[in-house]
PDB file of all heavy atoms in Angstrom:
ATOM      1  N   GLY A1242       2.706   2.568   5.275  1.00  0.00           N
ATOM      2  CA  GLY A1242       3.047   3.581   4.270  1.00  0.00           C
ATOM      3  C   GLY A1242       2.018   4.695   4.261  1.00  0.00           C
ATOM      4  O   GLY A1242       2.334   5.847   3.946  1.00  0.00           O
ATOM      5  N   THR A1306       4.239  16.553   4.773  1.00  0.00           N
ATOM      6  CA  THR A1306       5.054  16.579   3.564  1.00  0.00           C
ATOM      7  C   THR A1306       4.416  17.427   2.462  1.00  0.00           C
ATOM      8  O   THR A1306       5.087  18.244   1.823  1.00  0.00           O
ATOM      9  CB  THR A1306       5.221  15.123   3.049  1.00  0.00           C
ATOM     10  OG1 THR A1306       5.753  14.337   4.115  1.00  0.00           O
ATOM     11  CG2 THR A1306       6.143  15.059   1.863  1.00  0.00           C
ATOM     12  N   THR A1307       3.128  17.215   2.257  1.00  0.00           N
ATOM     13  CA  THR A1307       2.435  17.918   1.172  1.00  0.00           C
ATOM     14  C   THR A1307       2.529  19.427   1.374  1.00  0.00           C
ATOM     15  O   THR A1307       2.853  20.174   0.436  1.00  0.00           O
ATOM     16  CB  THR A1307       0.947  17.488   1.125  1.00  0.00           C
ATOM     17  OG1 THR A1307       0.910  16.072   0.995  1.00  0.00           O
ATOM     18  CG2 THR A1307       0.211  18.144  -0.015  1.00  0.00           C
ATOM     19  N   HIS A1335       5.520  10.473  -5.421  1.00  0.00           N
ATOM     20  CA  HIS A1335       4.150  10.635  -4.920  1.00  0.00           C
ATOM     21  C   HIS A1335       3.547  11.875  -5.584  1.00  0.00           C
ATOM     22  O   HIS A1335       4.258  12.820  -5.914  1.00  0.00           O
ATOM     23  CB  HIS A1335       4.240  10.840  -3.403  1.00  0.00           C
ATOM     24  CG  HIS A1335       2.939  10.804  -2.681  1.00  0.00           C
ATOM     25  ND1 HIS A1335       2.103  11.888  -2.601  1.00  0.00           N
ATOM     26  CD2 HIS A1335       2.334   9.811  -1.983  1.00  0.00           C
ATOM     27  CE1 HIS A1335       1.041  11.560  -1.866  1.00  0.00           C
ATOM     28  NE2 HIS A1335       1.161  10.310  -1.488  1.00  0.00           N
ATOM     29  N   SER A1337       2.159  14.270  -4.397  1.00  0.00           N
ATOM     30  CA  SER A1337       2.446  15.533  -3.701  1.00  0.00           C
ATOM     31  C   SER A1337       3.855  16.040  -4.001  1.00  0.00           C
ATOM     32  O   SER A1337       4.181  17.166  -3.632  1.00  0.00           O
ATOM     33  CB  SER A1337       2.225  15.414  -2.193  1.00  0.00           C
ATOM     34  OG  SER A1337       2.961  14.369  -1.679  1.00  0.00           O
ATOM     35  N   SER A1383      12.243  11.560  -3.955  1.00  0.00           N
ATOM     36  CA  SER A1383      11.966  10.875  -2.683  1.00  0.00           C
ATOM     37  C   SER A1383      13.187  10.113  -2.211  1.00  0.00           C
ATOM     38  O   SER A1383      13.872   9.488  -3.013  1.00  0.00           O
ATOM     39  CB  SER A1383      10.865   9.832  -2.877  1.00  0.00           C
ATOM     40  OG  SER A1383       9.645  10.454  -2.973  1.00  0.00           O
ATOM     41  N   ASN A1387       6.987   5.325  -1.973  1.00  0.00           N
ATOM     42  CA  ASN A1387       5.885   4.732  -1.203  1.00  0.00           C
ATOM     43  C   ASN A1387       5.253   3.562  -1.926  1.00  0.00           C
ATOM     44  O   ASN A1387       4.486   2.818  -1.335  1.00  0.00           O
ATOM     45  CB  ASN A1387       4.812   5.784  -0.889  1.00  0.00           C
ATOM     46  CG  ASN A1387       4.067   6.219  -2.126  1.00  0.00           C
ATOM     47  OD1 ASN A1387       4.685   6.530  -3.145  1.00  0.00           O
ATOM     48  ND2 ASN A1387       2.755   6.249  -2.066  1.00  0.00           N
ATOM     49  N   ASP A1412      12.135  14.329  -0.517  1.00  0.00           N
ATOM     50  CA  ASP A1412      10.888  13.958   0.158  1.00  0.00           C
ATOM     51  C   ASP A1412      11.200  12.751   1.043  1.00  0.00           C
ATOM     52  O   ASP A1412      11.392  11.634   0.560  1.00  0.00           O
ATOM     53  CB  ASP A1412       9.840  13.631  -0.909  1.00  0.00           C
ATOM     54  CG  ASP A1412       8.568  13.029  -0.321  1.00  0.00           C
ATOM     55  OD1 ASP A1412       8.548  12.693   0.880  1.00  0.00           O
ATOM     56  OD2 ASP A1412       7.593  12.880  -1.080  1.00  0.00           O
ATOM     57  N   ALA A1414       9.189  11.452   3.346  1.00  0.00           N
ATOM     58  CA  ALA A1414       7.968  10.928   3.986  1.00  0.00           C
ATOM     59  C   ALA A1414       8.084   9.446   4.326  1.00  0.00           C
ATOM     60  O   ALA A1414       7.675   9.017   5.404  1.00  0.00           O
ATOM     61  CB  ALA A1414       6.757  11.167   3.092  1.00  0.00           C
ATOM     62  N   GLN A1415       8.645   8.665   3.394  1.00  0.00           N
ATOM     63  CA  GLN A1415       8.697   7.216   3.620  1.00  0.00           C
ATOM     64  C   GLN A1415      10.042   6.770   4.194  1.00  0.00           C
ATOM     65  O   GLN A1415      10.222   5.594   4.481  1.00  0.00           O
ATOM     66  CB  GLN A1415       8.436   6.471   2.305  1.00  0.00           C
ATOM     67  CG  GLN A1415       7.033   6.645   1.772  1.00  0.00           C
ATOM     68  CD  GLN A1415       5.971   5.988   2.644  1.00  0.00           C
ATOM     69  OE1 GLN A1415       6.247   5.082   3.425  1.00  0.00           O
ATOM     70  NE2 GLN A1415       4.745   6.455   2.524  1.00  0.00           N
ATOM     71  N   SER A1435       6.467  13.966   7.122  1.00  0.00           N
ATOM     72  CA  SER A1435       5.196  14.042   7.868  1.00  0.00           C
ATOM     73  C   SER A1435       5.337  13.284   9.173  1.00  0.00           C
ATOM     74  O   SER A1435       5.787  12.131   9.169  1.00  0.00           O
ATOM     75  CB  SER A1435       4.063  13.356   7.083  1.00  0.00           C
ATOM     76  OG  SER A1435       3.889  13.926   5.827  1.00  0.00           O
ATOM     77  N   HIS A1437       3.016  11.849  10.918  1.00  0.00           N
ATOM     78  CA  HIS A1437       2.138  10.671  11.107  1.00  0.00           C
ATOM     79  C   HIS A1437       2.709   9.401  10.499  1.00  0.00           C
ATOM     80  O   HIS A1437       2.253   8.310  10.810  1.00  0.00           O
ATOM     81  CB  HIS A1437       0.737  10.961  10.555  1.00  0.00           C
ATOM     82  CG  HIS A1437       0.639  11.004   9.061  1.00  0.00           C
ATOM     83  ND1 HIS A1437       0.215   9.934   8.322  1.00  0.00           N
ATOM     84  CD2 HIS A1437       0.922  11.985   8.176  1.00  0.00           C
ATOM     85  CE1 HIS A1437       0.213  10.267   7.042  1.00  0.00           C
ATOM     86  NE2 HIS A1437       0.641  11.501   6.926  1.00  0.00           N
ATOM     87  N   LYS A1438       3.724   9.537   9.644  1.00  0.00           N
ATOM     88  CA  LYS A1438       4.365   8.323   9.108  1.00  0.00           C
ATOM     89  C   LYS A1438       5.553   7.916   9.989  1.00  0.00           C
ATOM     90  O   LYS A1438       6.338   7.041   9.645  1.00  0.00           O
ATOM     91  CB  LYS A1438       4.813   8.575   7.671  1.00  0.00           C
ATOM     92  CG  LYS A1438       3.630   8.859   6.744  1.00  0.00           C
ATOM     93  CD  LYS A1438       3.996   8.815   5.314  1.00  0.00           C
ATOM     94  CE  LYS A1438       2.956   9.493   4.446  1.00  0.00           C
ATOM     95  NZ  LYS A1438       1.859   8.612   4.056  1.00  0.00           N
TER      96      LYS A1438
HETATM   97  N1  PMP B 625       5.502  11.670  -0.288  1.00  0.00           N
HETATM   98  C1  PMP B 625       5.495  10.355  -0.091  1.00  0.00           C
HETATM   99  C2  PMP B 625       6.643   9.524  -0.595  1.00  0.00           C
HETATM  100  C3  PMP B 625       4.442   9.763   0.589  1.00  0.00           C
HETATM  101  O1  PMP B 625       4.428   8.439   0.792  1.00  0.00           O
HETATM  102  C4  PMP B 625       3.388  10.576   1.074  1.00  0.00           C
HETATM  103  C5  PMP B 625       2.201   9.981   1.814  1.00  0.00           C
HETATM  104  N2  PMP B 625       1.740   8.791   1.305  1.00  0.00           N
HETATM  105  C6  PMP B 625       3.450  11.942   0.844  1.00  0.00           C
HETATM  106  C7  PMP B 625       4.524  12.461   0.163  1.00  0.00           C
HETATM  107  C8  PMP B 625       2.375  12.869   1.335  1.00  0.00           C
HETATM  108  O2  PMP B 625       2.362  12.878   2.722  1.00  0.00           O
HETATM  109  P1  PMP B 625       1.228  13.658   3.525  1.00  0.00           P
HETATM  110  O3  PMP B 625      -0.085  13.195   2.959  1.00  0.00           O
HETATM  111  O4  PMP B 625       1.438  13.245   4.939  1.00  0.00           O
HETATM  112  O5  PMP B 625       1.440  15.108   3.294  1.00  0.00           O
END
Side-chain angles (χ1 to χ4, degrees):
T1306 305
T1307 304
H1335 189 278
S1337 55
S1383 284
N1387 69 312
D1412 171 350
Q1415 293 293 338
S1435 302
H1437 72 98
K1438 297 193 197 274

